[in-house]
Each structure stands twice: as C-alpha cells, then as structure tokens.
Amino acid sequence: MNLFTITDLTKEYGEGGAKVTALNQINLTIPEGKFAVILGASGSGKSTLLNMLGCMDKPTSGIINFFDTDITAFSKHKMTRFRSENIGFVFQSYNLLPDLTALENVEFSTELAGLSRKDAENALSIVGLSERMNHYPAELSGGEQQRVSIARAIAKNPKVLLCDEPTGALDFNTGIIVLEALKKVHHRQKSSVLLITHNQEIAKIADIVITLRNGGVQRINENPAPLSPSEVVW
Amino acid sequence: MVIILKLTVRKMRSQIPQLLGLVLLLAVGVCFFITLFTIAWQLEETAEQYIFEHAYADVTFYGQFTDESVRLLSEQDGVRLAAGRNVRDFRQGGELERVFRVISLTDGINIPYIYEGRLPENANECVILKRNADAMNFIPNSAKDGVSGYGSINLGENSLTITGLVANPEYIYMVQNERTVMAKASRFAVVYVTPDFFPGGYNEIAVLADSEVLAPDGTFRTVTRKDQINHILYRNDLDELCSFAMIFPLVFAVLIAVVIYVILTRTIQKDKKQIGIMKALGMCDKKIIGMYLSQFCITAAVGALLGCFAGVFATDKIITILSSMFVVPALSFAFEPLLWAAAIIVSILLCAVSGMIALVRILPLLPAYALRSRIPKGRRRNTLPASSKMNFNTRYALKNSLRNKSRFFAVVLGMTGSYALLAFSFGFNDSIAETQSRYFNDFANYDVIISFNPLPLSFEHPASERIGESSKALVLHIEIRGENYMLAIVENNFDMVKIPNSELQNGVIVPEYFAQIWNVGVGDILEIYGYDAVISTITPQHLGLTIYTGYDYIAALSDEIPPVYNTLYGRSGNMSELTDFLITNNIDFATVDDDKTSFDSIMESMEVLIWFMILCSVILGFTVLYAVGLINLSAREYEYMFMGVMGYPHKSILLAHIKETLMQLTFALPLGFAGGYLLLEAIKGEFSSSNFVIAAKIEPLSHAVSALAVISVTAVMVIITSRHIGKLDIIEGLKAQEDG
Ligand SMILES: Nc1ncnc2c1ncn2[C@@H]1O[C@H](COP(=O)(O)OP(=O)(O)OP(=O)(O)O)[C@@H](O)[C@H]1O
Ligand SMILES: [Mg+2]
C-alpha cells in the first residue's frame, strides 16, 4: 500500500501579478516504509510539497491520499489531529521552543500524543543526547539542537518523518551524525522518512530519490543499494 | 498538561514588567470600585436602619401648636405617633460667633443615638452632637456636682450641663438652613434638652405615620422626610457614590482592555513562530488559547484580589474622611462577597475578552504560514518616496506610525486618558471654586437675610431701620411636579441677587437647572398653587436655587396670596450692631459670611475626595503610559537593533523615536483637552441638586499641569528608551534577524 498518493497537486501563492505557482499539477506515489529523498534546486517547491504532505498547509487544487484517506479534505481541526498522530517534523531551522529544556521540548510532543516522559527520554538516547537533556536550546550547538528536534519528531513513533533540510545548517561531521540518527530511527521504528535536500551526495543514502524542478517532478529514481551515512562524503 | 503549564509559567516570567503593570492597573481600578460600592451599600444599609431604629420623623409640621393640636393629630388615621417639640436657635455673639440649636426631646421620635453618657433628666442638662463636642472641644470632666459631665453651655441666662454625646438621624448633615446645608461643626451645634426647658406650646410637631397626614391648625410649613434637606443630601450622596463607583472603574476598564490588547498582540506577534511550532506539533487551538489567556486571567485574578484587599483599608480611610460631611454611627467596612465576586469575575472576563480579540488574528493561520516571519503590514502601500525632502528620521517616524496603527493609537489613547482624567480631577476642584465665585461675586448682592413670621407689606420690620438698604420678600416652599422648591416673591426693584428684575412683572424667573430637569423654556407654563405661571426668563444659579417672581405678577395671577413678607434681604449698614440686635431679639438670620463658611466647609470635605481622585488619576495615567511605553519599546527592540546593524547612529535612532512620540502627543493633548470637559460635564449632573449646581470649568493652570504631567512621564519613557537603545547588542540583533 502506498503511504502517499498525490494526484494533480497544485499550489499557488499570492494573487494577480504577484502570483507564484510553487507546485504545478504534480502526480506522485510514495510507498510505505521507505527512506525517500526529495532533491531540487532552491525554489523548486520542495518545502511546499512537504508542507502539503504534513497537513501544514492546504493545496490550491489536487488530492493527497494518506493510505486511503484524502487529507486535503480535512478540516483545520482534523489537520491538527493528523499532525499530532501521524507526522514527525524536523525543520531546517530546528524550531525548538526556547523556554523549554531539551527534554521538555521532546516531552511537549509526547504529552500531546498521550505518551510518557520515558518515551521522551528514550528518543533523546537514540539521538545520543541523554547527557544534555536538561539544557535549554540556547545552551546547545546547532547539531545538538537538530538532534533534539529529531528526538522530538521520533519520540511519538510517527508513521512518517518529514525532514526539511535537517543538515542544511550543519557542518559535514555533524550532518553525518544527524543522518545516522535518522537512519537508525527508520530501521528501528519502521517509520517512513521523507527528507529534503539539495545535496546530491546525501541522496545516495535513500531508497527513492524524487527530483523536483520548477514546481514539477523531473524524475524518480529507485536506489537498489543505498549507502549508509558514514559512507557518503561531501 | 505538565509541560504546557511549565511553558505558561516561564512565559509569564519573561514578561513580568508588563504583567505587573497590569496587576497595578487592575488593583487600582478594583480598589476604587470595591471601596466606593462598599461605602455606598453600607451607607444605605446602616443609614436606613439608623433612621428606622431612631425613628426619624416621617413628617414635620412647623408653626404654632398646643397640646390639643398634638392630641388631635395623633387621632388621625395612619398616624402612629405624634409629638410636639420646640426648636430654637441661640446665637453666641462676640469674637467666636456660634449658633446653638436647642431642641426639646420627644418620646419616641428623632431619638438620639448615644455614644457616651446619658440623656438629660432636667431642664439644666443637655446632650450635644458628638461631632460638635469634638469640634468645640468639650472634653469630659467627670463627677462634677455628682454628674459626670462634659462641660457646660451658656445660652443667655441658662447654663446647661452636657451629660452625653449623641448623634441623630435628623442631623446626618449639619443643615442649618436652606443655604447653609453643611455648617461647620465648630460654628453650628445641635443640643437636645428636656421638654421643660421651654415654656408651654410647641413650634414643631414630629409625626410617625404610615399614610399622608392632614396638617393641624397653626401649621406654617409641612416637610416630609424625603423633602428634608438632610435626607435629600443623604440620598444624593448615595447616588454620587454609586456613579463615582461606576465611572472611574469604567475608564480604568477601557484602558486595561487596551493595555491587555496591546501586550497580547505584541506577545503573540513575537511568539508567532512558536505558535506555528506548537501547531505543527499538533497542539490544538483550544490549548494554545488556554495557554495565553490563562496568563492574563491569572494576572487579572491577582490584580483584582489585591484591589479587594486594598479596598478593605481604603474603605475605613474614606469613611473617616467622609465623616466630616456626614455622620452615620456604626458605618464601617463590611465584607460584601457579591461585590468581590463581581470585581474578580469582571476583571477576568475583561482580560479574557481583550486577549481573545488579540488571539483571533493569528490562530486561524495554518502552521506553514505561522512559521514564516511576519510580513510587515502594508509593506507595499506605505513605502515613502525616497526622493522625498523629508529626512530619514521624519520618514521613519511617519512610516512607523502608519505601519503599526494600533500600537500608535494605544499610546495616544493612554496619553489622552491620562490627560483627560487629570484635567477632569483638577477641573472638578476649579469648578467648585468657580461655583463659589459665581454665587458670591456675581450673584449674591446681599449681606444678610432675616427670616420671621409673615408681616403685611405696609408694616416695617423693626430690623429694617438698622440696615442700610433692605428689600422685602415672601419666601415660600412650593411643590412643583411633586418636588419641593423655593419661591421668592420680591419687590419690583429687588436687586439683592443678580436677576433681570425687569422680568419680575412678566412671570417667574426660573433657574437654568430647573428648566433643564422640567424640560421647559421661556414662555412655557409652570403650575404654581394651581395657577398657570409663565416663565419669563431663565437664569443661571448655583447655590440655594430659588424661583423668583414679583408681588405684582402674583397679585395679577391670584388674590389668594396675601401681600405679606417673611424675609428681609439687607445690605451694608452697621452689621455688628444689626447682628447684636437680631441676637438679643431672637430673630432668625443668616449673613453672607455664614453662607460662605458653609460653602467653605463643603469645599473642605470635598477637597479630600478630589485629591483622592487626582491621586488615582495620576497612578492610573502613569501606569498606562509606563506600561504602553514599555510595550512599545519591546516591540521596537528588533527594529532599533537592526537599524544599529545597518549603521544608523544611536542619536538618529533616538531622534526617530522622539519624533514619533511628539506626533503621539500632538494627537493626544487636544483629545485629552476635550476628554476632560466631557468627563466633567458627564459627572456634573450627578453632583447637582436643588441646592448646588456645579459650574463646569477647567482653569488653564489645570490644563497646563495635566499636560506637563503627561509630557514628563513621556519624557521619562524616552530617557528609558534612549538608555535601552544604547545598550542594545548588535550581535543579538543579527541573530534575531536570522531567527525571524
Ligand atoms: N508564503 C509564500 N508566499 C509567496 N510565495 C511563496 C511562499 N512560500 C513559497 N513561495 C514561493 O514558492 C516557490 C517554492 O518555494 P519552496 O519554499 O517550496 O522552495 P524550496 O524548494 O523549498 O526552496 P529552498 O531549497 O530554497 O528551501 C518559491 O518560488 C517561493 O518564492
Ligand atoms: Mg525549502
């Protein structure tokens, strides 16, 4: 069964002269349980697509099916429920709540999903941050913040992990650590992962590579032998 | 819930200054409300009970009566009790002129409330109102001649030993006569004696009755309880207290709502991204609302509770202050749970509603948009022409004010409100002085008013030859539309008060205030004693409001009113010789100085209230200006930092800020000017009665002081801002831009 089935998806921003077509009539299927990478140049519509899949925004037209359910028909309330039940987000700019410690940031998410503090602590140990869980985001490095953000996304064991350039702001070594954490989660929790990057090398660790261009799907490549993060270099 | 709670608490901690400002505003507003309403409710409850238990007469007849008239009256249907009594004023001349009103006690009507001592038992003893004893320094001197007394009073040839200190519901206010409604307790005293102090006969009958009572023979004037000046003043003060209790907190409420709106709008804009994150993680709107509103509701509850407790202290303080105006024994603070609950609930609702208004703007956003940095409002529309001749500062200031209208106008509103309240409070003081000056300088043209039993016009009163100029008048208490008013029938050339006396022959001259409440104008008909009198003109009057007309006009209207007079208005002549004569002959009189003294004591008692009002306005105004200023500053922080990053020097950033502040002042000062008058006009009616009509006026000095106060606080805010801009960290500014 397919995780996402996307039909004729279009997203436009603005009106009149200022109108931007970010996604133009996209058709795409993403199978369950895969590690998929979305590649594309800046402005090609990657983030826009991820937002639609994560029920963070509504398309202008078209349909997205999550398994059998049309998520584009959701009310705002259902969109919120869908996000808290099924989706884990990892943002490019970490987006941690500055008033909460690392652990509390993760707990924030588990609490919403009705899970316990133990789950939050587990998630932090998966990303290797058990030692620093009582620090505030301002006291953590960028890579550490990003790993907290991953812990927050995986703690509730979501069906899908959506990651928008999680390594964009990180140096090579830290980037590798973050990618390894994601792979580990993918294997352990059997979550499907969708990862945005504009880095061709990172695409080598994926099962599927979707390339976007000017708001359309340029090509889809299956990767029979994905590398492990430690094997890629950029 | 644990984490959300933690987050809420931490968010509150990070904006303690704003929340403290809010607590202060709420506390002051609630304190005002609780204090005034507690006093009003307690006053009504205590006073009504006092009136009932001490049998304040339902009707009083004035005239010449015998035991027989009292007996006949008691047999009337509906009369529960009737008692004759004598009331006579004794004047002590000399350097310390004092009036002692001596009243004979009755069995069961107008019973004194005894603070200490006992009632008199023979004609050589008396009790005196406690407030008089306090003001005149009658100190207890124990066990003299076997009677523990408080000194004695000499009235002509009599010397009375004071055996007790009392209060009486008929003297809640020190009403000496129609014009001297709040006599000074050191100049006018009320003394109760046994009936045998006076020889036979009575000049008053006090009645307790369940229905209307027919006046007995010999009645000269009938006054029901509700028409007694003492009672009217009491009811008026109750109403005034209630309307004060409403108006001030209402102004507070509006300002509090604006402050909360501004704080919350600001917080939410700042937290927009965090709200986006929370939404992205699946937190529903209800929880987000709960998180933000609970901060304000907790603050509201804390502020309101503080206000309630402050009210406990304020209430007793204010009652002490008010006791120089009126005395109701046993009036004190009482816990009114309903009032407290109302204050707390309204405060919370106020905060919740104004918070909701701020929240609804951001909550409908989908997380994808909430996560983005804010698009400046009107970015495209308000770009000012670069070629403009205006320099950077002016352009920047102008642009800011256009870009963030609600914040700009919140500051303007804060300034306006502070100015208006200050100008109003000072203006209230001015208005009372103005009222006094209009009466004594512009209206009253007499030195003395002498009252006696009616004499035929052709008969000269013995006092008239001792007065330089005098004028005869018949002063009557008449009923118009169910209320009591004073009518003075005067001679055609009457010039003892400034009225257009050429109009005396043409009809009745009506005070402006009456014309307003009756809704009548010149030429309209007014029914007096069943006759249709024409209103010939309307004049402004402020004290002892009286309808004037001429003997000629009354004669033409009816032949039922005989050509008699009961009042002499007099001017100049030898005043001290005249007063000596009047005192020795026991003739009732009041000099213009008496009236002035009485007015001064009204002023004195009001002054405390006015200063209380001014103090509240100052606290309120400064709190608002400070709170709004702080919010404005924190909103600007990033802008100023960014300007610093771009290389604008501190001076030019500050100059931009000053220009914006000046612009706000330009809006606020004229608005506040108008607002002050509006408030004054609105409250003027509440303070007006048939005895006292305020002439609204705000002196230029009051305006100047109010404006100066607002400008000073604004200047302090600018200094704080300047220091803050100086301390801004450019690195942090860059980081903030990155984050945004
Ligand atoms: N809220 C918005 N309003 C207007 N235009 C937008 C908005 N969001 C995105 N766009 C436009 O839509 C297009 C696609 O944006 P998107 O963020 O999906 O690109 P992206 O592939 O994620 O690029 P990058 O790699 O730089 O993040 C861009 O041209 C962008 O300018
Ligand atoms: Mg992007």
Side-chain angles (χ1 to χ4, degrees):
Chain A
M1 190 141 215
N2 285 325
L3 182 69
F4 288 111
T5 313
I6 300 163
T7 323
D8 288 340
L9 188 72
T10 299
K11 177 67 184 178
E12 291 165 352
Y13 291 109
E15 280 165 37
K19 189 161 92 175
V20 179
T21 308
L23 291 176
N24 195 1
Q25 301 270 338
I26 285 189
N27 286 290
L28 190 67
T29 51
I30 299 168
E32 196 191 353
K34 301 285 184 200
F35 196 112
V37 158
I38 303 176
L39 260 181
S42 181
S44 55
K46 305 184 294 291
S47 298
T48 306
L49 177 62
L50 211 70
N51 283 342
M52 302 296 146
L53 295 179
C55 256
M56 298 261 283
D57 198 357
K58 282 198 173 246
T60 311
S61 66
I63 290 170
I64 301 172
N65 277 312
F66 176 74
F67 297 106
D68 287 335
T69 322
D70 176 7
I71 60 169
T72 55
F74 278 177
S75 67
K76 272 189 188 163
H77 184 70
K78 276 198 168 165
M79 287 167 79
T80 306
R81 274 236 329 252
F82 178 78
R83 285 195 302 271
S84 79
E85 283 169 6
N86 299 304
I87 307 289
F89 279 104
V90 180
F91 306 93
Q92 176 172 9
S93 48
Y94 327 139
N95 282 346
L96 298 177
L97 295 169
D99 295 314
L100 298 178
T101 62
L103 178 61
E104 285 163 352
N105 260 289
V106 182
E107 272 188 275
F108 185 91
S109 159
T110 52
E111 206 177 87
L112 284 174
L115 300 172
S116 70
R117 183 194 187 115
K118 200 94 209 103
D119 298 289
E121 282 168 359
N122 275 342
L124 276 171
S125 77
I126 291 175
V127 297
L129 269 181
S130 301
E131 248 97 275
R132 315 223 48 187
M133 65 185 186
N134 289 322
H135 290 248
Y136 284 95
E139 298 164 341
L140 298 173
S141 77
E144 285 163 341
Q145 286 188 53
Q146 190 60 295
R147 279 188 281 158
V148 175
S149 157
I150 291 171
R152 178 175 68 183
I154 61 172
K156 61 184 176 185
N157 202 352
K159 293 209 175 59
V160 191
L161 262 181
L162 299 177
C163 316
D164 193 343
E165 293 197 53
T167 58
L170 305 176
D171 67 50
F172 171 74
N173 286 322
T174 325
I176 297 295
I177 295 173
V178 166
L179 288 177
E180 276 179 334
L182 279 173
K183 268 275 179 177
K184 196 157 122 194
V185 174
H186 171 65
H187 286 307
R188 267 208 208 166
Q189 301 189 340
K190 302 280 175 273
S191 302
S192 309
V193 177
L194 258 92
L195 184 144
I196 290 181
T197 182
H198 50 242
N199 187 330
Q200 302 276 352
E201 296 303 311
I202 291 177
K204 289 179 183 159
I205 68 169
D207 302 320
I208 304 173
V209 180
I210 301 159
T211 312
L212 294 188
R213 197 181 161 190
N214 287 336
V217 181
Q218 194 184 18
R219 62 173 178 274
I220 302 170
N221 294 336
E222 300 234 2
N223 198 351
L227 300 177
S228 91
S230 55
E231 293 170 298
V232 291
V233 180
W234 70 85
Chain B
M1 280 315 284
V2 189
I3 295 295
I4 294 176
L5 227 98
K6 270 189 197 166
L7 192 56
T8 311
V9 172
R10 285 187 200 156
K11 282 196 176 295
M12 282 180 82
R13 259 205 325 236
S14 67
Q15 44 183 354
I16 280 176
Q18 278 109 313
L19 295 181
L20 271 183
L22 202 59
V23 165
L24 190 64
L25 268 181
L26 279 158
V28 174
V30 167
C31 174
F32 218 107
F33 175 85
I34 292 280
T35 305
L36 293 183
F37 262 117
T38 306
I39 293 174
W41 287 10
Q42 276 306 304
L43 174 60
E44 178 152 37
E45 203 180 304
T46 322
E48 290 302 324
Q49 199 180 352
Y50 177 48
I51 285 171
F52 174 75
E53 282 175 2
H54 291 264
Y56 189 2
D58 291 312
V59 189
T60 310
F61 297 103
Y62 301 86
Q64 297 294 334
F65 310 105
T66 59
D67 282 320
E68 181 61 9
S69 12
V70 177
R71 195 187 58 77
L72 281 174
L73 194 61
S74 342
E75 285 168 2
Q76 266 191 51
D77 276 349
V79 172
R80 272 184 283 135
L81 188 61
R85 64 177 197 168
N86 277 295
V87 176
R88 218 179 100 191
D89 284 0
F90 289 83
R91 224 170 239 268
Q92 277 187 346
E95 176 179 340
L96 220 165
E97 201 182 78
R98 305 198 285 204
V99 174
F100 286 93
R101 176 161 297 168
V102 179
I103 303 174
S104 61
L105 288 164
T106 61
D107 250 347
I109 306 181
N110 295 338
I111 309 161
Y113 169 99
I114 302 169
Y115 285 101
E116 46 185 278
R118 56 162 176 82
L119 289 178
E121 283 161 2
N122 58 55
N124 297 320
E125 293 180 345
C126 71
V127 289
I128 188 167
L129 294 187
K130 182 172 184 295
R131 58 199 302 187
N132 292 129
D134 291 344
M136 293 174 172
N137 286 321
F138 287 114
I139 308 155
N141 58 350
S142 56
K144 195 170 116 200
D145 304 333
V147 185
S148 95
Y150 301 87
S152 55
I153 304 167
N154 293 316
L155 303 170
E157 56 268 31
N158 304 58
S159 174
L160 296 175
T161 308
I162 301 170
T163 60
L165 306 183
V166 297
N168 198 305
E170 62 175 337
Y171 285 98
I172 293 176
Y173 293 82
M174 296 302 273
V175 180
Q176 189 176 355
N177 54 44
E178 274 84 8
R179 288 171 317 282
T180 310
V181 296
M182 281 194 212
K184 268 204 165 111
S186 57
R187 305 260 322 243
F188 171 74
V190 178
V191 168
Y192 289 88
V193 295
T194 52
D196 55 359
F197 178 85
F198 293 102
Y202 307 109
N203 62 8
E204 281 185 16
I205 303 180
V207 179
L208 293 178
D210 303 318
S211 55
E212 210 166 305
V213 187
L214 293 175
D217 284 345
T219 300
F220 176 56
R221 186 153 90 88
T222 308
V223 180
T224 59
R225 183 201 292 166
K226 86 168 188 358
D227 286 330
Q228 290 218 336
I229 296 174
N230 178 56
H231 196 262
I232 292 172
L233 286 175
Y234 148 66
R235 294 303 314 185
N236 275 357
D237 270 356
L238 255 184
D239 292 346
E240 276 158 28
L241 277 171
C242 287
S243 58
F244 251 123
M246 284 313 292
I247 289 182
F248 258 73
L250 215 71
V251 176
F252 276 51
V254 171
L255 285 167
I256 289 167
V258 172
V259 169
I260 293 177
Y261 177 78
V262 173
I263 294 181
L264 202 51
T265 311
R266 172 66 205 136
T267 314
I268 285 168
Q269 265 168 15
K270 209 172 77 189
D271 281 6
K272 184 172 169 246
K273 188 164 180 180
Q274 291 190 38
I275 292 175
I277 298 170
M278 293 187 248
K279 286 184 126 191
L281 294 178
M283 185 168 173
C284 64
D285 287 3
K286 261 188 236 147
K287 278 189 182 157
I288 298 179
I289 291 174
M291 200 176 114
Y292 280 93
L293 286 195
S294 62
Q295 299 175 37
F296 288 90
C297 293
I298 292 168
T299 312
V302 170
L305 262 175
L306 272 179
C308 286
F309 286 116
V312 177
F313 297 100
T315 304
D316 277 328
K317 197 92 211 114
I318 303 273
I319 287 175
T320 316
I321 290 167
L322 288 174
S323 65
S324 67
M325 280 208 279
F326 57 79
V327 170
V328 175
L331 174 63
S332 69
F333 173 80
F335 174 56
E336 300 275 5
L338 215 67
L339 215 53
W340 286 43
I344 294 170
I345 290 171
V346 168
S347 303
I348 292 177
L349 275 181
L350 179 72
C351 291
V353 169
S354 37
M356 258 329 269
I357 295 173
L359 272 168
V360 289
R361 289 213 314 217
I362 206 152
L363 278 178
L365 282 185
L366 284 162
Y369 299 92
L371 276 170
R372 286 177 176 271
S373 54
R374 189 167 62 97
I375 299 171
K377 260 189 262 163
R379 177 181 52 177
R380 291 170 197 90
R381 270 151 279 149
N382 289 331
T383 15
L384 290 157
S387 62
S388 151
K389 284 216 183 78
M390 288 182 277
N391 64 9
F392 162 76
N393 274 314
T394 317
R395 264 190 293 147
Y396 180 77
L398 203 63
K399 195 170 150 189
N400 259 333
S401 48
L402 290 172
R403 219 181 58 183
N404 209 324
K405 289 192 199 77
S406 71
R407 201 168 58 213
F408 183 83
F409 284 109
V411 178
V412 171
L413 195 85
M415 290 173 172
T416 305
S418 315
Y419 183 113
L421 274 177
L422 278 171
F424 159 71
S425 306
F426 286 121
F428 199 78
N429 210 3
D430 295 344
S431 300
I432 288 176
E434 173 73 7
T435 310
Q436 183 181 30
S437 134
R438 286 216 196 154
Y439 185 77
F440 293 108
N441 300 342
D442 303 342
F443 190 74
N445 198 17
Y446 59 85
D447 293 329
V448 63
I449 297 175
I450 306 168
S451 314
F452 36 84
N453 287 336
L455 289 174
L457 275 177
S458 53
F459 191 91
E460 288 302 319
H461 190 272
S464 63
E465 64 196 41
R466 287 159 215 268
I467 313 174
E469 291 171 68
S470 68
S471 191
K472 295 166 185 164
L474 178 61
V475 176
L476 299 170
H477 293 262
I478 57 167
E479 198 167 291
I480 298 174
R481 304 186 184 184
E483 299 284 333
N484 249 297
Y485 296 98
M486 284 221 290
L487 170 72
I489 303 169
V490 297
E491 296 172 308
N492 281 344
N493 59 355
F494 182 76
D495 66 345
M496 294 294 169
V497 299
K498 285 265 165 54
I499 47 170
N501 50 19
S502 58
E503 294 292 336
L504 286 168
Q505 289 123 293
N506 306 333
V508 293
I509 300 175
V510 170
E512 206 170 51
Y513 177 67
F514 293 171
Q516 264 169 30
I517 54 176
W518 297 331
N519 195 17
V520 293
V522 172
D524 286 350
I525 300 294
L526 203 61
E527 201 186 291
I528 295 175
Y529 288 132
Y531 297 101
D532 287 346
V534 177
I535 297 174
S536 60
T537 193
I538 291 169
T539 55
Q541 284 186 34
H542 297 288
L543 291 176
L545 271 50
T546 307
I547 303 164
Y548 291 93
T549 189
Y551 279 108
D552 289 353
Y553 182 73
I554 287 291
L557 205 62
S558 136
D559 47 16
E560 270 179 36
I561 300 168
V564 294
Y565 69 111
N566 63 359
T567 306
L568 262 184
Y569 286 79
R571 194 159 51 220
S572 64
N574 188 338
M575 280 302 282
S576 66
E577 194 203 326
L578 175 69
T579 49
D580 282 349
F581 170 80
L582 292 169
I583 289 168
T584 40
N585 287 286
N586 267 317
I587 300 166
D588 192 19
F589 73 97
T591 65
V592 80
D593 286 332
D594 288 344
D595 293 352
K596 267 191 191 139
T597 316
S598 144
F599 195 91
D600 285 346
S601 77
I602 298 183
M603 285 275 282
E604 246 168 55
S605 51
M606 282 214 175
E607 209 148 279
V608 192
L609 272 187
I610 289 165
W611 279 107
F612 179 65
M613 224 156 73
I614 292 175
L615 185 78
C616 282
S617 310
V618 169
I619 294 177
L620 173 71
F622 288 8
T623 319
V624 169
L625 281 182
Y626 188 74
V628 175
L630 268 187
I631 296 157
N632 201 17
L633 177 61
S634 69
R636 283 294 149 71
E637 201 165 277
Y638 290 129
E639 263 166 51
Y640 291 150
M641 266 194 262
F642 190 60
M643 285 169 77
V645 172
M646 306 228 301
Y648 286 106
H650 177 203
K651 221 176 87 188
S652 65
I653 299 175
L654 187 62
L655 223 68
H657 181 78
I658 290 175
K659 280 197 176 155
E660 194 188 341
T661 309
L662 285 179
M663 226 165 351
Q664 286 160 337
L665 277 173
T666 320
F667 275 99
L669 294 184
L671 280 175
F673 190 90
Y677 278 105
L678 271 175
L679 276 176
L680 198 55
E681 284 294 332
I683 208 150
K684 185 178 109 178
E686 294 300 331
F687 273 86
S688 299
S689 65
S690 51
N691 278 301
F692 186 67
V693 175
I694 288 182
K697 180 166 192 187
I698 303 178
E699 297 282 353
L701 183 68
S702 302
H703 274 303
V705 171
S706 313
L708 206 70
V710 171
I711 292 170
S712 313
V713 181
T714 311
V716 170
M717 280 317 295
V718 168
I719 291 168
I720 294 175
T721 309
S722 158
R723 291 182 40 175
H724 193 84
I725 293 172
K727 272 192 283 180
L728 285 182
D729 190 342
I730 290 189
I731 305 297
E732 229 173 76
L734 284 170
K735 255 195 189 161
Q737 283 307 122
E738 238 169 52
D739 269 12

